[in-house]
Amino acid sequence: MTLRDERMGRDISRAVRILNDGGLVGLPTETVYGLAARADDRTAVAKVFDVKGRPRGHPLIVHVSSLERARAISGDWSDRAEALGARFWPGPLTLVVPRAPRIVDEVTGGLDTVAVRVPAHPMAQALLVHVEAGLVAPSANLFGKVSPTRPEHVLHDLGDAVDYVLDGGPCEIGVESTIVDCSSRIPQILRPGAITETDVLEVVDEIESASGPARAPGMMSSHYAPRCSVVNVESDVDAEPFRQRGVLVLDARRDPKTFVRDLYALLRRCDDEGREEVVVVLPDDRGIGRAVRDRLMKAAAPRP
């Protein structure tokens, strides 16, 4: 065992103790950092909502260590859920499935479904094997604001309200997981992410666009918002007047995969620099570009 492995083992042991005592832990995943609490601890789950300022009816994702544990929190695990989980887990995919009776209402927002994910980050995996009930872990930031992709972002946003932050370094992907609703007759993509529509269609026969009220994280019209105003444009021609006024222009078209990894850190930097406005040239609405557009459209939306 290396010194690094020993240190991670000590960090994981400390995080497990804190979680078992009802505390909150900053959890690194390959997407963003989560604010983790035991999914079977009603008081700890309530603290997650209070610390984030998150509406109580907004459902949370339960993170578990394996496909087997994911099946156990569903009351009706479908063949489609099995196929998607087998293909993409561990990884940046969340499935919405009918909930098992033991899942508490605080986690699901009172809905008859539960969202579940098996993250791929090694520290998340190392922690989750010790928590059979799973962990809720929404993004470790104030509700509606820019998600954290580095441990220092968690500390900046939440400070002493989080009991411990596991340092897993910068997140590899940089935006939240793709969410697929497997509880409806035809699967729906409720939130785009690194697992694309094309990827999903390689596993299931058909999908349809999301409709109806918000029933998963990230479905509100305004979200992921920095303090500065975000202006989205489709081309360099549209961006040029802003450049002439000295406004920072970011271009997401050249390498959307790299851009999305750095997106939230870039938005945070704009706030740190005191910018009032930032302009982004949007990528095409395909592949990971769809997730980039989704986050930036929500970041630019009128704020409640």
Side-chain angles (χ1 to χ4, degrees):
M1 180 181 290
T2 67
L3 288 175
R4 181 178 180 182
D5 290 336
E6 290 180 3
R7 178 181 175 184
M8 188 173 86
R10 290 194 300 269
D11 291 346
I12 294 298
S13 295
R14 179 178 178 185
V16 170
R17 290 195 299 271
I18 290 169
L19 291 164
N20 288 341
D21 289 339
L24 306 182
V25 169
L27 177 68
T29 78
E30 69 275 23
T31 56
V32 300
Y33 274 73
L35 181 62
R38 287 187 62 104
D40 59 350
D41 186 333
R42 294 176 184 269
T43 301
V45 172
K47 285 193 337 191
V48 170
F49 283 98
D50 291 341
V51 167
K52 284 181 58 67
R54 183 185 180 101
R56 292 297 176 100
H58 206 53
L60 301 172
I61 296 171
V62 179
H63 297 65
V64 294
S65 63
S66 66
L67 178 56
E68 180 181 5
R69 288 187 177 179
R71 294 188 199 109
I73 69 171
S74 173
D76 183 13
W77 188 256
S78 68
D79 291 342
R80 293 174 305 200
E82 180 71 17
L84 288 165
R87 174 69 177 274
F88 297 115
W89 282 344
L93 176 71
T94 294
L95 300 179
V96 175
V97 295
R99 61 187 276 192
R102 68 183 178 88
I103 304 300
V104 300
D105 285 343
E106 288 85 350
V107 169
T108 67
L111 300 176
D112 59 3
T113 55
V114 62
V116 59
R117 177 182 166 212
V118 180
H121 194 288
M123 291 192 85
Q125 278 286 313
L127 179 60
L128 286 165
V129 295
H130 296 286
V131 189
E132 186 172 353
L135 299 171
V136 296
S139 57
N141 59 296
L142 297 177
F143 183 71
K145 303 303 181 182
V146 181
S147 298
T149 54
R150 299 176 183 178
E152 57 266 31
H153 296 164
V154 181
L155 293 169
H156 176 272
D157 290 2
L158 303 183
D160 293 339
V162 58
D163 298 298
Y164 186 52
V165 179
L166 286 167
D167 185 352
C171 296
E172 178 184 357
I173 293 173
V175 290
E176 298 77 4
S177 60
T178 304
I179 301 179
V180 178
D181 186 352
C182 289
S183 68
S184 54
R185 187 180 65 84
I186 300 174
Q188 295 182 355
I189 294 183
L190 304 184
R191 181 176 71 188
I195 305 297
T196 67
E197 179 178 319
T198 300
D199 296 330
V200 174
L201 283 171
E202 290 177 355
V203 179
V204 299
D205 292 336
E206 58 180 331
I207 56 175
E208 62 182 7
S209 300
S211 60
R215 57 192 185 279
M219 292 186 71
M220 301 180 72
S221 59
S222 176
H223 217 65
Y224 320 110
R227 291 191 302 274
C228 66
S229 296
V230 177
V231 178
N232 296 314
V233 298
E234 298 288 349
S235 70
D236 277 326
V237 173
D238 298 328
E240 188 56 31
F242 294 95
R243 283 196 182 94
Q244 292 179 4
R245 291 198 286 110
V247 176
L248 176 66
V249 176
L250 304 174
D251 193 337
R253 298 170 302 172
R254 294 169 188 162
D255 187 354
K257 187 174 181 180
T258 298
F259 183 87
V260 76
R261 184 189 65 206
D262 299 330
L263 170 59
Y264 291 149
L266 288 170
L267 293 179
R268 286 172 175 272
R269 189 182 308 159
C270 288
D271 282 343
D272 292 342
E273 294 172 353
R275 296 182 183 274
E276 296 183 357
E277 191 174 44
V278 60
V279 174
V280 185
V281 184
L282 295 172
D284 292 338
D285 187 23
R286 59 185 178 182
I288 192 66
R290 178 163 295 183
V292 177
R293 292 178 70 97
D294 173 78
R295 302 315 191 269
L296 285 167
M297 291 296 188
K298 289 182 168 76
R303 294 153 196 197

